[in-house]
Every structure is written in C-alpha cells, then in structure tokens.
Amino acid sequence: MFSKGLDTPGILFLRRPAFYAASTIVGAILCIRFVSKIWPGIPLSLWLVLLGISLPLSFAGRVKLRQLSTRRAAASIGARPIPCLQGKRVGNVDLMFKFLEIFRTGYPGDGLDEVVSDVGTIFNTRMLFEDDIITIEPNHIKALLATDFDNFEKGDKFRATTLSLLGTGIFNSDGEMWKFHRSMTRPFFTHDRISHFNIFDRCADEAIPSMKARFRAGHAVDLQDLMLRFTLDSSSEFLFGHGIHSLRGELPYPHNTRPEVKSVPDGDTAEAKTAEAFARAFAGAQYAISQRFRMGPMWPLFEISKDNTKEHMEVVNAYIEPILQNAINKQKARPSTDDASLQETLDEDTLLDYLVRRTTDITILRDEVVNIMTAARDTTASTLTFTLYFLATHPQVYSRLREEVLTKVGSTSRPTYDNIRDMKYLRAVINESMRLFPAVPFNVRDSIKATTLPSPNPAEKPLYVPARTSVTYSALLMHRRKDLWGPDAEEYDPDRFLDERLRKYLTPNPYIFLPFNAGPRICIGQQFAYNEISFIVIRLLQNFTSMTLSPEGQAPETRPPAAWASAEGRKAIEKICPRMHVTLYSYGGLWVKMTEDGEAC
Ligand code: HEM
C-alpha cells in the first residue's frame, strides 16, 4: 500500500519519467563533450539549444519508432492498426481535456457516440502518445472477457488506482492471485441463503417506515441516498455480521426544505458512532478512488504530497480489523477443519465465517471483505436507483409490476426466493434498467501479448492490439446500439426481454447484454444482487401504490441542463442527470414522492 513521504502515488508516478529525463540529459551531455573534443569551436549557446531540445527530440523519436514498429508488426501478421483519433493538439491533449470534462459533467458517453459514427465502433484515442483503445463491439468484448481471457488482465493501471482501497483482493488482482481469491470465495455464492432474505427484510423494515414518515410530513425522499444506505447495511451484515445501521440515521431533506425539528436517531451509542465513522470513511475512500478515475492517467500528480485515501483507510481498517481478529481467534480455538467440515461451512451465514475456515491471514481476509463490499454496494445501489427512476417515470410499468407483486406475493407477505424466480416481469424491469444504465458503464482490460481483434467489417483485415495496451469497453454504449437492439433501443421497454425481440436480438447474440460482465470473471454476486434488488422493489410496491419524481427536491444545478432538450437520443428526455465515476449515479439524487396503499391520491 502507498505510505507516507517518498512513497506517495505522485512521487511513485514521477520516478519513471524523472529517470528517463535524467538519463536522456546525461546522454546528451556526454555526446556534447565527445563532439566538442572533435569540433572545439562550436559556441556554447548552440550546445545549450541542443541540450534543451534533446529531451523532446528523443521522446518524439521514441513515439515515432513505436508507431512504425506497431505498423510493421500488424502487417507481418496480416492485420491493420486500429484507426486513431486525430485531435487538433499534439498528443491529442485537446481530446483528453474534452473527454475528461465530459466525464466530469456530461451525459455518460457524450462525445463518444459522435466518434463512433465518424470512425466506427473501435478506435484508438492515443492521448499523450499512449495507445488507448475503445470498443463497443460485442465480438471484441467477448474476446477480452472469454475467448482470449488469458491474454487480457485488469492490469497495473487499474491496480495502482485502486490499490490503497482494495489491496490485492479478487476485484483488482490478476493471474494466480486472482484464481486464489476467486476459488476461495465463489462457493459461498453458489446457493441462496434464507439468512440473506432475513437481512434484506430487516433493512426494508428500517427503510420503509422512515420513508413513510417523510412522505406523511409532505417531504420528498432521495431514493438514491436511501438505496446506498440499504445496500451498505445489508452488505456489511452479510459480509461480517455487523450491521452498520446507516438506515437509522436521519435522511436528507430536499434542498429547499429546512427541517423544523431535527430528530436524533436512536441508538446513538459509541458502537453506532464508530459504525457511522466507518460508513463515512468507506465512502470517503471510494470517493477518492473515483476522483482518480475521473482525472485520468495523470491522477497521481494530484497526490504528490499525500495519498488521498490514507486517512479514510485508517478508519476503515480500525473498524474492520478487530472484527476480523475476533473471527480469527474463534477459528483458532476450534478443532482442526477437515474437508468434510469445510463442506458443511458452505452453509455459514456470513462471508467472514465462511472465509475464516479457509484462511486466518488477516490481510487476505481484510482485502477480500473490502473488495466484496466495494463490488457489491455501489453497483446494487446504482441499479436500484435507475430501476426506481424508470418506475417513477413510467406509471404504466409501475402499475403492471405492482399487479405482478400483488398476484405472486400478496400485499404483505415476505417475498421468497421462489416468488422472485417466478416474477418474469420484475426480472424484465430490472434487466431493462441495467440495459440503459448498466452500473459499470465503462470497463477496461490490458493486453499482455500483442494480439488481434476481428474487424467489425468481416471483409477487412483484423485489427492489431499491441502488447500492454489498454482496451476500454463500454456496456452502456453497446446496450444502446440500434443495430444490435432494434430501432427503439433508446426507449425504456421491459417487454423487449419478454417478447419476440428477445429471440430476435439477445438470444442469438448474448454478448450484447453485459451488465455483470461475462466469462471467467463474471460477477460472483449476480444472483445475490437480483435477490436484493427484487426484494426491496417488491417491498416498496407492496407499500406504495404510485411514485412520481419530485425534481423540486434537488438543487437546481443538479437538474438536467436546458441544452439537453435539443440533444439526440435519451439525453433529450432524461429527467435526472446521470453521471459516472466507476459506477453510474444520479447527480443530486433521485427525489420522489410516493402514495401509500389506502391513501387518497
Ligand atoms: C446489480 C448489481 C451488480 C452489478 C451490476 C455488478 C456488476 C459487476 C461487474 C460488471 C463486474 C466485473 C468487473 C470487472 O471484472 O472488471 C463484477 C465483478 C464482481 N462482482 Fe458484481 N455486480 C453487482 C453486484 C454484486 C454483488 C451484490 C456482489 C457480492 C455480494 C458482487 C461481487 C462481485 C465480485 C466479487 C466481482 C469480481 C469478480 C472477479 O473479478 O472475479 N457484485 N460485478
């Protein structure tokens, strides 16, 4: 992990270019001394100019050589280089700043759809002279995730960006280390546990009364905030058996509402305060990591003097480590574990109970728990936020889904696994939400060896991917392609997962829908996520007959800009501002009002 002083991300980042610059200048000085011995009359000013341009010259030479060798290597295997974007400034810096700005404030994917229509579905952005490929081709994504899996890894850049939060856990490791984590953790997720439904139920029982209290007082509720609390509380409980109880804290008020009486949450004990500090620190560390992704490849330069995650991680670790130590001590006091009793522990309720039977190494346990919390929490909250956004803006979908809830589960019964499996329309509603707003809209893999990807036009030569090159792929842009999903691809219509469009588009080409990724690294929490999302959506629909957006609840600067109305596609009709860091979210929240069952509209 990064530490203080000379090991900050910024200093580590600068080491390589500093070494390159120093060795180039020393080389130039040696050349000058050598040449001045042969031609002693050359004036000092000329030497200084030569010394000054030695660095940019050597850099330009290296870039040119690399481009030539890529072209030659591609030709030697009958492939062609991937088309490069041509910016107006050297090193495509204009494009870099444009995309970074769009990434910060624009509609997800803005700018790229224009590039796709000009250049095609795969291109090389080559910003700052680095090859960086972007693709939205299902065949390419299939190669990265499945058919050429061994040649594509998460890679050093992703690892360096997330290292201080994730250490070396399942989410950011590669090779043998990843196999170790995956094989250790996956069996826990292979069957549904009653205990998980108990957790969802407890969390729903905390969330729904708080919502009702707010609605009865005439206020809107930010469902994004509520779903983040719901997924934090449920994941902490299923991971290590300690509820964070963020749902017991006070919910935010709409931006224009000043609460008359500030209610003090119950259970304001030392334990509750520590849990709250953990929740804040975990969010702080995740935010610092998301800022790194947002700043692009130069992020370490913004962390020259300190690692921005460090203070947060000290609080996170101080909270988790005693819980882990306690579990380790209990495990060590148990009789030794043979294979048969290990098999029985597949039924353990918490992931920690299960993991501690397999290793008592506290670093591995910490990394695994933090990795899974990171993988589980924001993704599920994001999917819930956009599912609820669509339900709020499509009353006919809300009514039809509520009908299914009342028919299959009833108005008060607790949803079961069998209910959820049986609710085809609910699954279609969730899938359609993930199609238009996949929680992880962009993802990346790095090539290990040079390879090729098929050309989108089969009549053309395959495309050459050099070794150690980042390939970014976008589920979001692919999920909205009209040539893959039909002319109504930008519309929200859950029926496309039920009617003849399913057989026409998705069944013959399953790689066009990848909210959970695919291949050996497919999300291990997929079923858990469907259960959790379904559970809380059912509970909400049992309790409320309708839901509408309450845009006045959110600060004006977080509402969709007026200029969006004249844009093309979904951007023109969006009622919220979708933004992204690693996951998608609604800028300013998702403010809604809901009508209780039995209440007059
Ligand atoms: C709707 C909710 C979720 C979505 C959309 C989602 C999506 C994803 C995606 C796209 C990946 C691939 C990341 C990559 O390889 O770059 C992934 C991996 C992963 N997910 Fe999920 N996820 C969700 C919920 C969960 C939950 C609830 C858990 C655990 C309880 C979980 C655990 C994991 C883990 C451990 C990985 C890493 C797998 C590996 O690298 O082998 N996810 N998820």
Side-chain angles (χ1 to χ4, degrees), residues 294-314:
R294 191 169 270 196
M295 282 163 204
M298 296 290 147
W299 71 264
L301 296 181
F302 296 86
E303 296 188 34
I304 296 270
S305 59
K306 70 175 179 110
D307 176 343
N308 287 347
T309 58
K310 191 165 184 288
E311 280 164 26
H312 300 301
M313 287 316 292
E314 280 166 3

Side-chain angles (χ1 to χ4, degrees), residues 76-96:
S76 73
I77 54 167
R80 63 188 169 108
I82 291 169
C84 260
L85 299 191
Q86 304 297 335
K88 294 195 175 75
R89 299 267 182 275
V90 65
N92 278 349
V93 282
D94 53 328
L95 296 182
M96 185 178 85

